[in-house]
């Protein structure tokens, strides 16, 4: 039986060995101008609250038996 502390240490050591590079211990990622800028109006739309009617409209727009979502249910489940 493994205790929580031992499992935590094993996980930390695994990922440390996996991603640690002795040659480049410090990497700086510069993402300046890597993505397009979003204008103020678009940003406000992205930050707006979701309205129940919008969710319902999007859900009923989907085909009934397409690929299941993250919970494993197809849109038919939610539409019925």
């Amino acid at each position: 039986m493994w205790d929580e502390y031992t499992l935590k240490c094993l996980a930390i050591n695994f990922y440390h060995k996996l991603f640690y590079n002795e040659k480049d211990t410090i990497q700086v990622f510069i993402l300046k101008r890597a993505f397009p800028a979003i204008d103020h109006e678009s940003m406000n739309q992205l930050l707006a609250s979701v309205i129940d009617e919008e969710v319902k409209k999007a859900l009923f727009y989907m085909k009934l038996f397409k690929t299941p979502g993250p919970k494993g249910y197809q849109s038919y489940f939610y539409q019925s």
Side-chain angles (χ1 to χ4, degrees):
M1 186 78 113
W2 297 87
D3 62 73
E4 186 177 337
Y5 177 76
T6 304
L7 289 174
K8 183 178 178 180
C9 289
L10 286 171
I12 290 171
N13 289 334
F14 173 79
Y15 286 104
H16 180 73
K17 288 177 186 175
L18 183 64
F19 293 111
Y20 182 74
N21 185 353
E22 291 180 17
K23 295 175 187 169
D24 299 322
T25 55
I26 299 174
Q27 283 188 335
V28 177
F29 297 100
I30 300 174
L31 295 176
K32 217 176 211 180
R33 294 184 215 101
F35 301 101
I38 297 176
D39 60 57
H40 215 57
E41 183 180 340
S42 297
M43 181 62 77
N44 288 336
Q45 288 176 347
L46 289 170
L47 296 173
S49 298
V50 178
I51 301 169
D52 289 342
E53 190 59 37
E54 290 176 321
V55 174
K56 184 177 179 181
K57 184 189 261 185
L59 181 64
F60 280 86
Y61 180 76
M62 295 179 197
K63 304 240 187 233
L64 292 179
F65 295 104
K66 291 302 236 175
T67 306
K71 299 278 186 191
Y73 298 110
Q74 295 170 320
S75 62
Y76 175 77
F77 174 80
Y78 298 104
Q79 290 180 12
S80 57

